[in-house]
Amino acid sequence: MRAITPHLITNKPTPFTVRGDLAGAEVTALAERLWSHLLTAPPETVVDLAAAGDIDSAGADLLAAADAYAVHRGLRLRVTGAAPRVRTALHAAGIELLPPGGAVPRQRKSGRRPAEVVA
C-alpha cells in the first residue's frame, strides 16, 4: 500500500526557505530536501531566497536543474525574494523570478518556461 503525503491532496504551495548563503554545504542541504520533495510531485513549490545573502554556481545550478525537472514533471517551481546579487546569478543560469510587485512573467511559446507560469 502506498502512503499518502498531505501535500499531495492540497493545492497550497510548499515553501522552502533558504537562510544564509546558498553556497557550499547549504547547497547540499537544500538539494537533499528539494529533490526528495520534488519526487513526490507537489503541484507547486516556492523557494524563498529572501534570507539568502549570496549564491554560488552550485546553488544556481541546483535551482536551474530543479526548475527543469519541475517543467518535465508538469509542476510549478517558483523562486521568490532574491536579493539583487542573487537575482543576477539566477538570471545568468536562466531562472526567471517573479519581478517586484508580483507581476507574473508571460508564458513562452518555445524553449524553457519561466520559473512561474500561470496554470
Side-chain angles (χ1 to χ4, degrees), residues 2-3 31 38 54 65 82-84 107:
R2 188 173 169 185
L38 288 175
D54 201 3
Q107 187 171 359

Side-chain angles (χ1 to χ4, degrees), residues 16 18 22 25-35 47 62-63:
F16 277 86
V18 178
L22 185 50
E26 187 66 29
V27 174
T28 303
L30 178 63
E32 290 173 2
R33 290 179 26 230
L34 188 57
W35 285 117
V47 179
L62 168 64
L63 293 177

Side-chain angles (χ1 to χ4, degrees), residues 54-111:
D54 201 3
I55 189 170
D56 66 6
S57 61
D61 287 345
L62 168 64
L63 293 177
D67 179 52
Y69 181 75
V71 170
H72 171 73
R73 294 286 307 266
L75 310 172
R76 294 191 312 175
L77 178 71
R78 187 165 39 123
V79 180
T80 63
R85 167 186 254 169
V86 175
R87 279 183 179 267
T88 301
L90 292 175
H91 180 69
I95 301 172
E96 294 183 25
L97 303 170
L98 274 170
V104 177
R106 62 181 169 78
Q107 187 171 359
R108 296 180 186 169
K109 299 292 183 196
S110 63

